Amino acid sequence: MTRPRRRLRLPVDPYILALLGMVVLATLLPARGVAAEAASGASTVVVGLLFFLYGAKLSTREALDGVRHWRLHTTVLACTFVVFPLLGLAAGGLVPWLLTPALYSGFLFLCLVPSTIQSSIAFTSIAKGNVPAAICAGSFSSLLGMVLTPLLAVVLLSSSGGGFSADSALKIALQLLAPFLAGQLLRRWIGGFLARHKRIIGFVDRGSILLVVYTAFSQGVVAGIWQQVTWPRLLALLAAEAVLLAVMLSLTWYGAARMGFARADRIAIQFAGSKKSLAAGLPMATVLFASHASLAVLPLMLFHQMQLMVCAVIAKRRSRDPEAAAEPVPVAGPGAA
């Protein structure tokens, strides 16, 4: 008697559903007039608070301890801030016959965003990879992304018609980098409080981003965003993102093998080097794109959910590989944090 096969459940993040709910709310009830000004002001404040919390929570010392595994971290950073942007620039050939210039700007922006931390660690753990290395790689990416993502945006998006300039870099420094550095400086005194109240801080974290999404899409709806994005364009965007994700997953896995990395390290490289952070990208987009942020964050939101679903399937399959049982998972040594 054969046992019925278990259906593989694809993860639909409840938070993604909440983000989509904000898009629907902004579509039906966009903020206008005084309400729009209040929402925009509140969004500016919460973005600063968000990056202050990022700075206060991120332990620079733990991240720097991982420098000993420099080849792995350099590989992940190269994937995040070199290979991804190059593929984003190559996608410029899809304009205007598949992607509109506005959608392409958002597509290119998602290629500049740093990697995730939490989901990279979770998937690396499920696949029985090098978890300490994933922790360090994600931390490095987030830390450097505070500087590299805005700089890359100013250089690449200005050359692609995004309208960025030195003023954009200064705006980023004041609204994002300054709160982040303030959080790092005050971490000594408030780090313990944040560690003891992770649940409350998490609500502030996620609630802030929900407000950012509502404000951005409200501005977009008032400006006629849904008249600019047709279903064929949206499907074309999804197809382009699927190809982007497939290319990065293949490059990080087989490329790491060619470079001589062990299986556990390859897993960490694949999950940390192929993903993009929604939490870091959304606030940056609101500062960089201002009134055009709604179209800019749409590609990132879609890519984020796509990467969660695909990486969940890959992680479960990796955990069942015969190599997973034969090779010990690193808990110390060069990759340890």
Side-chain angles (χ1 to χ4, degrees):
M1 184 176 178
T2 59
R3 294 182 180 179
R5 289 185 176 181
R6 291 184 179 180
R7 291 184 178 180
L8 182 63
R9 292 183 179 180
L10 295 178
V12 179
D13 191 343
Y15 188 54
I16 292 293
L17 295 180
L19 288 170
L20 293 176
M22 289 296 102
V23 174
V24 173
L25 180 61
T27 301
L28 299 176
L29 296 171
R32 301 174 184 271
V34 177
E37 293 178 5
S40 178
S43 179
T44 301
V45 172
V46 298
V47 165
L49 174 62
L50 202 57
F51 277 80
F52 174 80
L53 292 176
Y54 288 161
K57 288 188 298 182
L58 182 61
S59 173
T60 309
R61 181 177 179 179
E62 287 180 4
L64 293 178
D65 283 343
V67 171
R68 289 173 294 174
H69 207 351
W70 63 270
R71 284 186 67 242
L72 186 149
H73 302 313
T74 303
T75 301
V76 172
L77 291 174
C79 290
T80 304
F81 297 113
V82 178
V83 180
F84 254 117
L86 288 176
L87 291 175
L89 289 173
L94 302 177
V95 181
W97 61 285
L98 272 183
L99 299 179
T100 64
L103 283 178
Y104 172 66
S105 292
F107 184 90
L108 180 55
F109 173 72
L110 87 82
C111 293
L112 312 181
V113 171
S115 179
T116 61
I117 298 179
Q118 291 90 342
S119 56
S120 294
I121 295 168
F123 289 135
T124 300
S125 177
I126 292 170
K128 300 179 181 178
N130 190 338
V131 175
I135 294 172
C136 292
S139 298
F140 280 145
S141 182
S142 295
L143 196 60
L144 292 178
M146 297 298 107
V147 177
L148 289 181
T149 297
L151 290 179
L152 286 171
V154 169
V155 174
L156 299 182
L157 286 167
S158 60
S159 63
S160 66
F164 294 93
S165 62
D167 292 338
S168 300
L170 179 60
K171 193 175 182 182
I172 283 287
L174 292 176
Q175 292 192 30
L176 303 183
L177 191 56
F180 178 82
L181 293 176
Q184 280 280 289
L185 291 173
L186 295 176
R187 187 181 186 280
R188 176 180 177 183
W189 294 279
I190 64 175
F193 174 82
L194 295 179
R196 292 191 301 271
H197 298 83
K198 288 183 179 179
R199 192 178 184 85
I200 297 175
I201 300 304
F203 283 130
V204 174
D205 239 4
R206 298 187 167 219
S208 300
I209 294 177
L210 289 175
L211 176 60
V212 166
V213 170
Y214 173 75
T215 303
F217 272 90
S218 286
Q219 294 172 344
V221 169
V222 173
I225 176 179
W226 298 123
Q227 283 72 46
Q228 302 174 43
V229 182
T230 61
W231 279 108
R233 295 287 191 182
L234 195 59
L235 292 175
L237 173 63
L238 286 171
E241 292 189 341
V243 171
L244 175 66
L245 182 59
V247 168
M248 287 307 302
L249 286 170
S250 300
L251 282 177
T252 50
W253 181 251
Y254 295 108
R258 292 292 299 271
M259 294 173 69
F261 284 101
R263 177 187 176 278
D265 290 343
R266 290 169 65 194
I267 290 173
I269 290 170
Q270 184 177 49
F271 290 127
S274 65
K275 312 236 316 296
K276 291 295 182 177
S277 173
L278 185 69
L282 284 177
M284 287 184 180
T286 61
V287 177
L288 286 168
F289 293 92
S291 60
H292 303 289
S294 52
L295 278 177
V297 302
L298 185 61
L300 180 58
M301 290 174 62
L302 295 175
F303 186 83
H304 185 268
Q305 181 59 29
M306 186 185 296
Q307 73 185 11
L308 288 180
M309 296 172 69
V310 174
C311 288
V313 175
I314 293 175
K316 289 179 181 179
R317 289 183 177 178
R318 294 265 186 267
S319 68
R320 294 193 293 266
D321 286 345
E323 300 172 71
E327 185 174 325
V329 178
V331 293

